Amino acid sequence: MRNRTVIVLGADGYLGWPQAMHLSSQGYRVIAVDNLVRRRWDLECGTSSLIPISTMERRVERWRELGRGDIEWRLVDLTDAEALSDLIASTKPDAVVHFAEQRSAPFSMVDREHAVMTQLNNVAGTLNLLFALHEHAPECHLVKLGTMGEYGTPNIDIEEGFITIEHNGRTDTLPYPKLPGSFYHLSKVHDSHNIHFTCRAWGIAATDLNQGVVYGCTTPETALHPELATRFDYDGIWGTVLNRFIVQSAIGKPLTVYGSGGQTRGFLDIRDTMACVQLSIEHPAQPGEFRVFNQFTEQFSVLQLAELVRDARAAHGGETTIDHTPNPRFEKDTHFYNAKHQLLVDLGLEAHKLRSTLIDSVIATVEEHIDRVDLSQVGVSDVEWTTGRSRAATGKAQVATPAAETVA
Ligand code: NAD
Ligand code: USQ
């Protein structure tokens, strides 16, 4: 499988950049693609990565200077169908790893404009990709990042993509029912349906990785040089829960547990994201196959995570308080949760389990960049799920769309 061409879409992002380096280290020819819109969304939200991040040009240059190989950088917007089609036609990839979406649930819930932009960007970008693959690289394996949040929190076990149902004496295996909790999570459900359809109708080979919440910021490749670092978000829009709790704890602020903290989710270490994507590429789906893997390694409730962070801090003499704040989201406060996650293990995944040493090392990274923490971004997110206003109603600035000029 090595020496083959892999396109990483969304390669300027938290996961895309380390994934591009990881695959390059494994001997793949890597083409790193992004439209840099995330850097513009940061400007719009007044947010920024805690860890300074270099431009894509600088990153790939540093990678080359360190003798690690060539990562080919291309500025392409997935909503530009022609540019995307040209990219696929000219590179004929063996695999495409698709991270390039608007991935924040709170951002998608700000108002009508953010909801529409999220779904246009994500659903249309993925559709453009499916058409480009069908036309120019029909053998290519699509590895698409979905999300565990597609399933919601049903009161039965969550299977990996499909469930066998017996109904009125007949039996069938069908896509597992979806009950997502934001317009962002809904965009992933729409993607899954579109991908599944093109597998059946056109013979596309696809793996949908329903990933849980990712934590951590260090991989063997990001650790090589500060200019190879990946972004680390901690604010109320982009920061995921464990990363946020660790930053809050490092700066002595209370941990913002929404509600009772009984919301249970699947989690994984960023190094396991790298491994799962590699395993998926190395064991590709067959033509016409729509394969779904649940990509997480452990389940935790939000309160359990807060307690883990508090205890890790206490082991070093630090004190952390846990605040139960009203939940700005619309989600079940406590619920049954048992999601299967066996298929990637069967392919060879050896999970990094969450340990206090990992929490310690992220706290150390935060302390290194403590001057960059914006205290106004650390607290409870100010996006309320039930508001559902339009920009005109809120009087806020225009949402940045992918088609506008990009920022380096
Ligand atoms: P991120 O925002 O850091 O990176 C996404 C990248 O995609 C950005 O660099 C952005 O500029 C780019 N992008 C967005 N729209 C684009 C377009 N139209 N054309 C080209 N590039 C575009 O997000 P991330 O945390 O790295 O997440 C990557 C993927 O993994 C997303 O699809 C997300 O839904 C999924 N995922 C993330 C997590 C997590 O915890 N971070 C968990 C589960 C799933
Ligand atoms: N939460 C808190 N306090 C906080 C922040 C979050 O209690 O300060 C809670 C939320 O209410 C939620 C849980 O923590 O119940 C997870 O929230 P999150 O912001 O970490 O994760 P989420 O919004 O679901 O989105 C993130 C990524 C998204 C990915 C998803 C995986 O941003 O791209 O798809 O994790 S999953 O949750 O499995 O769908």
Side-chain angles (χ1 to χ4, degrees):
M1 294 300 294
R2 307 288 158 84
N3 295 320
R4 305 186 91 203
T5 299
V6 179
I7 297 182
V8 177
L9 302 171
D12 189 44
Y14 170 54
L15 301 176
W17 172 239
Q19 190 72 59
M21 290 191 288
H22 179 75
L23 293 171
S24 175
S25 286
Q26 300 297 315
Y28 290 93
R29 173 193 176 208
V30 175
I31 300 169
V33 173
D34 206 291
N35 65 351
L36 306 180
V37 69
R38 179 55 211 284
R39 296 187 188 229
R40 285 193 303 106
W41 288 330
D42 264 349
L43 289 179
E44 181 203 327
C45 297
T47 50
S48 63
S49 167
L50 178 70
I51 300 175
I53 49 169
S54 302
T55 60
M56 279 304 288
E57 287 80 1
R58 192 65 216 126
R59 284 168 158 176
V60 299
E61 188 57 22
R62 175 57 69 191
W63 187 247
R64 200 187 54 72
E65 284 164 9
L66 289 174
R68 308 289 304 193
D70 281 328
I71 294 176
E72 299 165 45
W73 157 232
R74 310 277 175 91
L75 182 70
V76 176
D77 183 342
L78 268 65
T79 65
D80 181 343
E82 204 177 320
L84 184 59
S85 176
D86 288 349
L87 172 80
I88 301 295
S90 61
T91 55
K92 302 278 185 215
D94 298 290
V96 170
V97 185
H98 178 13
F99 290 101
E101 298 204 322
Q102 190 302 93
R103 71 104 175 122
S104 159
F107 191 78
S108 76
M109 298 301 295
V110 169
D111 56 19
R112 180 183 62 78
E113 284 82 347
H114 285 78
V116 170
M117 193 282 298
T118 297
Q119 295 209 354
L120 282 177
N121 185 63
N122 296 0
V123 179
T126 299
L127 264 179
N128 287 338
L129 176 61
L130 290 166
F131 272 88
L133 292 175
H134 180 44
E135 193 171 351
H136 301 297
E139 313 281 299
C140 176
H141 176 208
L142 170 61
V143 178
K144 164 70 166 55
L145 271 292
T147 178
M148 283 303 293
E150 290 186 37
Y151 301 116
T153 52
N155 199 32
I156 54 172
D157 290 348
I158 295 174
E159 305 297 325
E160 299 202 54
F162 296 89
I163 185 168
T164 301
I165 298 175
E166 209 186 296
H167 182 64
N168 294 345
R170 301 183 67 82
T171 303
D172 204 351
T173 298
L174 295 166
Y176 193 94
K178 307 285 176 74
L179 212 57
S182 73
F183 290 119
Y184 152 71
H185 288 97
L186 275 153
S187 75
K188 295 287 194 183
V189 174
H190 305 327
D191 284 342
S192 294
H193 288 312
N194 286 341
I195 298 168
H196 191 181
F197 173 71
T198 61
C199 291
R200 285 180 284 137
W202 300 341
I204 297 271
T207 301
D208 204 4
L209 296 174
N210 281 344
Q211 183 170 240
V213 188
V214 184
Y215 57 81
C217 51
T218 307
T219 70
E221 289 81 19
T222 63
L224 289 171
H225 192 279
E227 286 181 344
L228 299 180
T230 195
R231 60 176 310 124
F232 186 75
D233 299 302
Y234 62 96
D235 58 85
I237 299 274
W238 305 100
T240 48
V241 64
L242 183 57
N243 289 351
R244 263 168 76 67
F245 285 172
I246 293 175
V247 172
Q248 290 165 345
S249 157
I251 62 167
K253 292 285 177 194
L255 310 189
T256 54
V257 169
Y258 298 163
S260 71
Q263 311 92 314
T264 302
R265 302 285 182 269
F267 291 83
L268 73 164
D269 186 300
I270 187 169
R271 292 168 293 182
D272 291 336
T273 297
M274 309 296 111
C276 291
V277 169
Q278 185 187 340
L279 283 168
S280 302
I281 294 172
E282 290 181 351
H283 303 273
Q286 297 307 305
E289 184 184 8
F290 176 69
R291 194 173 60 166
V292 182
F293 296 155
N294 290 349
Q295 180 168 312
F296 71 95
T297 59
E298 293 174 281
Q299 290 185 185
F300 296 102
S301 73
V302 167
L303 184 59
Q304 279 175 322
L305 287 180
E307 288 170 349
L308 278 171
V309 172
R310 182 195 59 195
D311 295 347
R313 198 71 175 139
H316 298 279
E319 212 175 290
T320 305
T321 52
I322 295 177
D323 257 11
H324 289 271
T325 70
N327 194 341
R329 303 186 183 201
F330 177 72
E331 59 188 2
K332 285 182 198 154
D333 196 51
T334 47
H335 54 86
F336 172 81
Y337 197 78
N338 184 39
K340 306 274 174 69
H341 53 112
Q342 187 57 39
L343 297 176
L344 282 158
V345 175
D346 292 345
L347 289 184
L349 176 66
E350 290 178 24
H352 293 87
K353 295 290 174 73
L354 179 59
R355 305 231 189 291
S356 60
T357 47
L358 185 275
I359 295 175
D360 291 344
S361 84
V362 182
I363 287 179
T365 306
V366 173
E367 282 168 349
E368 225 179 286
H369 301 289
I370 204 120
D371 295 347
R372 291 173 55 88
V373 176
D374 177 351
L375 291 177
S376 71
Q377 301 290 350
V378 175
V380 178
S381 171
D382 62 3
V383 180
E384 302 248 347
W385 256 228
T386 47
T387 307
R389 298 248 177 85
S390 72
R391 289 270 97 178
T394 56
K396 290 187 186 158
Q398 188 66 37
V399 58
T401 58
E405 202 183 321
T406 52
V407 175

